[in-house]
């Protein structure tokens, strides 16, 4: 199915497509060095058809910005928890095609396999682009866990019926954890290690933090009337 057709799907059809995608997920160790890491974020008003997408490219492990691409798209697919990829992925693919070069791994603001059907946006995007992908979410969507300790990098496994689906990671003291899960073509352990290496004093890892700043800029430049969320996570 082409992502351009997503907006015409019913929620039931979207769920059926997630079940199809789930059969293709490949969680395995990344077998090449990471020299370029990408971060992706989306911004939209849930009651609007306009979607703002941004992808930032950073040199790894230095995390200096070396490229970016953006896209402004429209979708009629409704805002439904667990199906947000059907709103977001088409716009992200537009930005992906504009990149001057492709990263070795992508970090997306959202879930990987820590999803009821294991098909969060990081998994969905990774499957369509065949790029190793990691989900780094600011809130839990699925899975149970014990609250991690309050020290930086304390962590707690997230389970669904005995299956490990993610890690709750304390990235900053006195802040809520972030929720890490592999998306595609990378292991759980590598996902957590890469995210740990991308923490630079903020709650959010640099790839998605910088992508968040980027999409806010294009949203403001487009004349969208909104109040950006504070970036001092």
């Amino acid at each position: 199915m082409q992502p351009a057709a997503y907006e015409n799907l019913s929620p039931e059809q979207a769920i059926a497509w997630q079940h199809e995608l789930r059969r293709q997920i490949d969680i395995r160790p990344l077998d090449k060095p990471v020299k370029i890491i990408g971060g992706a974020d989306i911004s939209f008003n849930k009651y609007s058809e306009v979607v703002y997408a941004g992808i930032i490219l950073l040199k790894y492990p230095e995390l200096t910005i070396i490229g970016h691409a953006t896209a402004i798209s429209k979708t009629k697919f409704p805002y439904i928890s667990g199906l947000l990829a059907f709103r977001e992925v088409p716009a992200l693919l537009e930005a992906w095609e504009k990149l001057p070069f492709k990263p070795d791994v992508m970090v997306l603001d959202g879930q990987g396999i820590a999803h009821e059907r294991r098909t969060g946006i990081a998994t969905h995007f990774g499957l369509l682009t065949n790029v190793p992908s990691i989900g780094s979410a600011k809130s839990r969507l699925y899975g149970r866990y014990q609250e991690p300790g309050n020290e930086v990098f304390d962590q707690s496994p997230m389970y669904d019926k005995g299956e490990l689906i993610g890690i709750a990671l304390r990235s900053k003291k006195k802040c809520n954890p972030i929720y890490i899960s592999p998306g595609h073509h990378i292991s759980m352990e590598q996902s957590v290690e890469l995210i740990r290496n991308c923490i630079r004093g903020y709650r959010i890892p640099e790839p998605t933090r910088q992508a968040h700043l980027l999409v806010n800029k294009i949203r403001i430049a487009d004349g969208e009337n909104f109040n950006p969320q504070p970036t001092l996570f």
Side-chain angles (χ1 to χ4, degrees):
M1 182 185 302
Q2 294 298 316
Y6 284 176
E7 66 177 353
N8 299 317
L9 296 177
S10 68
E12 293 76 17
Q13 289 172 322
I15 289 171
W17 183 235
Q18 286 183 330
H19 285 299
E20 290 294 323
L21 290 174
R22 182 174 184 172
R23 298 187 180 97
Q24 304 171 39
I25 300 170
D26 184 17
I27 303 301
R28 57 177 168 81
L30 180 64
D31 59 1
K32 64 178 182 179
V34 176
K35 298 181 180 179
I36 301 172
I37 191 166
D41 195 18
I42 287 283
S43 182
F44 57 79
N45 180 326
K46 67 176 68 175
Y47 305 110
S48 169
E49 295 183 355
V50 181
V51 178
Y52 300 87
I55 298 177
I56 204 92
L57 298 173
L58 303 99
K59 187 177 180 182
Y60 183 86
E62 297 88 347
L63 300 183
T64 51
I65 297 173
I66 55 176
H68 73 272
T70 62
I72 302 174
S73 184
K74 287 189 175 183
T75 181
K76 295 178 182 178
F77 194 88
Y79 182 95
I80 301 173
S81 179
L83 299 178
L84 295 184
F86 292 90
R87 281 181 63 89
E88 300 177 359
V89 161
L92 282 175
L93 290 175
E94 287 186 32
W96 176 259
E97 293 303 322
K98 296 178 182 178
L99 289 173
F101 42 87
K102 301 297 192 279
D104 300 304
V105 64
M106 280 289 297
V107 181
L108 290 93
D109 182 45
Q111 315 295 337
I113 62 168
H115 180 282
E116 182 179 3
R117 292 171 292 278
R118 308 297 182 262
T119 49
I121 188 169
T123 302
H124 200 132
F125 185 85
L127 283 165
L128 294 184
T129 58
N130 200 36
V131 65
S133 57
I134 302 168
S136 176
K138 297 186 287 292
S139 59
R140 180 194 70 87
L141 178 66
Y142 207 71
R144 296 187 176 187
Y145 70 99
Q146 298 293 323
E147 191 71 13
N150 195 42
E151 295 301 315
V152 175
F153 297 146
D154 282 349
Q155 62 185 58
S156 178
M158 301 171 63
Y159 290 102
D160 175 37
K161 300 175 183 176
E163 179 186 353
L164 179 66
I165 61 170
I167 297 292
L169 179 72
R170 187 80 67 192
S171 54
K172 186 177 180 180
K173 281 188 175 183
K174 300 180 181 179
C175 286
N176 290 333
I178 55 175
Y179 303 90
I180 311 305
S181 58
H184 187 55
H185 285 340
I186 194 167
S187 70
M188 184 75 71
E189 295 77 10
Q190 289 172 322
S191 298
V192 174
E193 179 184 7
L194 280 169
I195 295 300
R196 283 172 53 122
N197 291 341
C198 289
I199 298 296
R200 291 291 190 271
Y202 296 92
R203 178 184 173 227
I204 306 303
E206 283 300 293
T208 50
R209 195 180 77 86
Q210 293 294 341
H212 173 83
L213 296 174
L214 177 63
V215 292
N216 278 353
K217 287 179 182 177
I218 64 167
R219 192 168 174 179
I220 292 170
D222 191 50
E224 175 84 350
N225 183 20
F226 85 117
N227 294 317
Q229 293 296 312
T231 56
L232 299 178
F233 296 109

